[in-house]
Amino acid sequence: MTKNLLIMFCLIGTSSGAFRFLPNMLRAGKTLPRRHGHGVRMQFARSVSASSLGSQPTPRDDAMKIIYASIRAVDPRVAVQDRLKVEKGEGGPFLFVRESKGLNAAPLSYDLSEFERVRIVSFGKASTAMARSVAEVLSLSNVNIDGVVISKDGHATDDEKNLLSGYNIRVREASHPIPCERSVSSAEEIMEVASSSDSRTLLIACISGGGSALFCLPRGDLTLNDLMETNARLLESGAPIQKMNIIRKRLEMGKGGLLATAAYPATTLGLVLSDIVGDPLDLIASGPTVPDESSFEEAWSILREYGMGPGGSHELPPAVIDVIREGNAAEKALDNSVIHPAFKFVDDKARRTSETVLVGNNRAAVLAAAEEAEKLGYSPAILGTRFDGEASCVGGSLVAMADHLCNKDTMYPIAATPAALISGGETIVNLPQNCKGRGGRNQELALAAALKMNEMNLKGCCLASIGTDGTDGPTDAAGAIVDSKTVDDDVSRSSALKALSDHDSYDFLNERGCLVMTGPTGTNVADVCITLIR
């Protein structure tokens, strides 16, 4: 049976169909073809080693099976279509939207005969797959559809672009994690779609991780360069994504509920694929369809906490600091109890003019990983989906747990061996200014884990940590997979320590065949880490 455990472990900073593995293709060093137009698009890395032909699967083989099962479980097409349904009713077709509040909760309902058109706007790393799914569901109703999608460079396939074009949905591409001029022009298109809507319009906003950078429109006198430099400082500061997005909401149009208010009196429905620990709807992609519950005072406090204020080690541009300082002063004189009509309940309807629904999250990926591990003969223990904190600390701590299970004299183990420790969330890496290293949080976590395995002389353990979007930091790797052979002598240990110190995990792991390359997966629900103990 799967064990569900909530571990409060201060060192690591925690807060409170299935894809079938093809070992022969992997062993032969081949890659799987991209699955054009099918949500999750995966291909194996040449750099991930496997057992030789004809031998038994290794822990690395098993870890990769588990990783890919977890990614398949959060295919955005499946997630969206599981929530939406069009049915005929009196007067015309109805769109029913099942919320995540429980199986017995009444779905939100929209009488499509009341709307002259449905406009789909979508941004984030899962934007094309989510928009396609919504359009396919709505096509059963013969309603007029149009819209705009912003996708990360290289994440939209030609098939997806052509299919969305058939629904009058334009696909734009932009850079991530640092926004560019295309981010701004694309965001302007979306805001124009919203502001030109009326009471006979249903605006459906598909929102996924990465949306904050892709949907980027500077507020007031701020420039794109101000926002680009701010994003770079935010990434360097080590602030968690929740706090980054509190800052972003103060600086941009469309964030913090402003997409929904711009669309009013149109009806707005937000569909969210969560990449943030705890699934806070007001912070995912900076909450464009959700009323802002944060404040300028909080933003100012975050600046000071992470050295982003005047004279700090990660000082933000002067114009940005001025906006937050002045906003903090002005906000104190405002009446914040006034609710915009976009967020009030509609007469005679059990819903607000703007509603936002969670359609998928990290929990689904973690549960699928546990199920796959159990099929492979491991005893799975879910450690939680709220893992955060410094990546290197988390990696070392997970190996310490594995070492505890390897001890045959251990009393009260959290799982019987062979065991699979499964965790989800999103760690951080605190980078010094002008850091030249290359890597990502999952690669750094894995490198620290490999060093810990060497330090503890731990055999029979394998750890894989990946970003479910297929991108770990500004690299082409999704993450990494390591075992006791990754760091196995004094020379490799010395190199690994230097790579960890320089935050340069990519090259070290690449040289040892430890990088996991999935390519863009078409989804994004934060990270999944698998630790196998035999």
Side-chain angles (χ1 to χ4, degrees):
M1 294 295 291
T2 301
K3 300 179 180 179
N4 292 278
L5 307 175
L6 178 61
I7 297 183
M8 302 301 292
F9 197 39
C10 61
L11 175 62
I12 60 178
T14 55
S15 51
S16 44
F19 181 81
R20 295 300 299 170
F21 184 72
L22 302 177
N24 288 339
M25 291 187 74
L26 182 60
R27 289 169 188 148
K30 298 179 181 179
T31 58
L32 292 181
R34 280 183 80 171
R35 301 170 66 84
H36 289 288
H38 283 280
V40 176
R41 305 179 293 275
M42 300 175 291
Q43 49 191 356
F44 283 112
R46 295 177 184 275
S47 59
V48 177
S49 64
S51 53
S52 59
L53 285 168
S55 62
Q56 288 294 107
T58 68
R60 281 193 172 206
D61 297 340
D62 290 342
M64 291 305 299
K65 292 181 186 179
I66 295 167
I67 286 293
Y68 280 98
S70 72
I71 294 174
R72 281 293 297 173
V74 287
D75 181 333
R77 291 191 65 204
V78 175
V80 168
Q81 292 180 359
D82 185 52
R83 296 289 180 186
L84 305 186
K85 188 175 184 180
V86 170
E87 291 184 354
K88 290 184 178 180
E90 292 185 13
F94 278 77
L95 173 67
F96 292 101
V97 185
R98 184 167 60 86
E99 296 189 85
S100 57
K101 297 176 181 177
L103 294 176
N104 297 322
L108 299 172
S109 65
Y110 298 84
D111 183 350
L112 295 178
S113 67
E114 296 179 357
F115 303 104
E116 291 181 351
R117 59 182 174 177
V118 177
R119 317 197 77 175
I120 300 172
V121 296
S122 187
F123 40 92
K125 296 178 184 177
S127 59
T128 52
M130 293 181 75
R132 172 185 176 174
S133 295
V134 173
E136 288 175 338
V137 171
L138 290 173
S139 67
L140 302 175
S141 67
N142 295 317
V143 67
N144 293 321
I145 300 172
D146 66 8
V148 177
V149 169
I150 311 176
S151 175
K152 180 178 176 178
D153 285 326
H155 276 227
T157 69
D158 290 339
D159 284 355
E160 287 172 333
K161 292 175 183 178
N162 291 334
L163 189 145
L164 288 170
S165 177
Y167 290 112
N168 300 312
I169 297 173
R170 304 184 297 277
V171 177
R172 305 294 186 236
E173 293 183 295
S175 64
H176 180 280
I178 305 298
C180 61
E181 290 287 355
R182 291 172 296 143
S183 310
V184 175
S185 60
S186 299
E188 287 175 339
E189 276 193 76
I190 284 182
M191 292 301 288
E192 174 60 27
V193 166
S195 61
S196 63
S197 298
D198 56 26
S199 60
R200 295 276 290 167
T201 301
L202 172 60
L203 179 74
I204 300 181
C206 302
I207 301 161
S208 55
S212 281
L214 294 170
F215 178 58
C216 174
L217 188 58
R219 179 182 291 190
D221 294 331
L222 294 178
T223 66
L224 175 61
N225 284 338
D226 289 330
L227 297 191
M228 290 172 67
E229 188 174 344
T230 296
N231 263 17
R233 299 292 87 76
L234 288 171
L235 293 169
E236 289 175 0
S237 72
I241 188 65
Q242 296 93 325
K243 293 184 178 181
M244 288 188 195
N245 285 354
I246 289 174
I247 301 293
R248 286 166 168 159
K249 284 195 281 187
R250 317 262 81 77
L251 310 178
E252 299 177 43
M253 299 300 297
K255 308 253 170 99
L258 295 181
L259 177 62
T261 59
Y264 185 80
T267 298
T268 300
L269 170 63
L271 303 176
V272 175
L273 191 67
S274 172
D275 69 328
I276 296 184
V277 171
D279 307 324
L281 295 179
D282 63 317
L283 294 179
I284 299 163
S286 303
T289 60
V290 181
D292 186 10
E293 297 181 3
S294 62
S295 66
F296 275 98
E297 183 178 11
E298 285 180 75
W300 183 253
S301 177
I302 293 167
L303 257 61
R304 300 179 66 180
E305 179 183 359
Y306 289 91
M308 293 184 285
S313 56
H314 304 287
E315 183 177 0
L316 298 185
V320 170
I321 293 175
D322 287 345
V323 166
I324 296 175
R325 180 193 289 115
E326 293 166 7
N328 185 29
E331 191 175 61
K332 294 175 181 177
L334 298 176
D335 180 4
N336 293 316
S337 64
V338 178
I339 300 175
H340 191 280
F343 304 114
K344 292 183 179 180
F345 278 94
V346 183
D347 294 338
D348 304 323
K349 297 189 191 313
R351 59 170 174 78
R352 298 172 181 84
T353 302
S354 178
E355 290 279 1
T356 302
V357 175
L358 181 71
V359 299
N361 59 6
N362 187 258
R363 179 177 181 270
V366 165
L367 287 174
E371 291 170 1
E372 183 69 13
E374 196 165 45
K375 290 177 185 176
L376 295 172
Y378 293 88
S379 175
I382 294 177
L383 306 180
T385 57
R386 290 175 172 259
F387 271 55
D388 54 18
E390 190 68 30
S392 58
C393 293
V394 174
S397 300
L398 289 170
V399 172
M401 290 186 206
D403 179 70
H404 182 65
L405 285 181
C406 286
N407 188 339
K408 301 303 181 184
D409 297 327
T410 293
M411 298 180 67
Y412 308 113
I414 59 176
T417 54
L421 305 182
I422 301 164
S423 56
E426 188 169 288
T427 60
I428 60 172
V429 177
N430 285 292
L431 296 175
Q433 276 194 321
N434 303 315
C435 177
K436 303 299 183 184
R438 185 162 56 143
R441 59 181 178 265
N442 289 285
Q443 294 164 61
E444 184 140 329
L445 186 155
L447 178 58
L451 278 162
K452 193 70 173 179
M453 290 179 198
N454 175 258
E455 174 190 323
M456 305 184 82
N457 195 29
L458 181 60
K459 309 296 183 184
C461 176
C462 172
L463 179 145
S465 187
I466 59 101
T468 53
D469 61 347
T471 306
D472 186 35
T475 75
D476 57 356
I481 182 168
V482 297
D483 56 27
S484 60
K485 296 178 182 178
T486 304
V487 178
D488 57 0
D489 57 29
D490 290 342
V491 173
S492 61
R493 180 170 181 81
S494 176
S495 298
L497 286 168
K498 186 177 188 316
L500 188 63
S501 175
D502 294 343
H503 304 291
D504 193 26
S505 53
Y506 182 96
D507 290 332
F508 178 90
L509 293 167
N510 188 34
E511 290 170 1
R512 286 155 181 78
C514 295
L515 293 178
V516 176
M517 306 278 196
T518 63
T521 63
T523 191
N524 187 18
V525 293
D527 303 338
V528 174
C529 184
I530 311 297
T531 308
L532 300 182
I533 305 102
R534 280 193 173 178

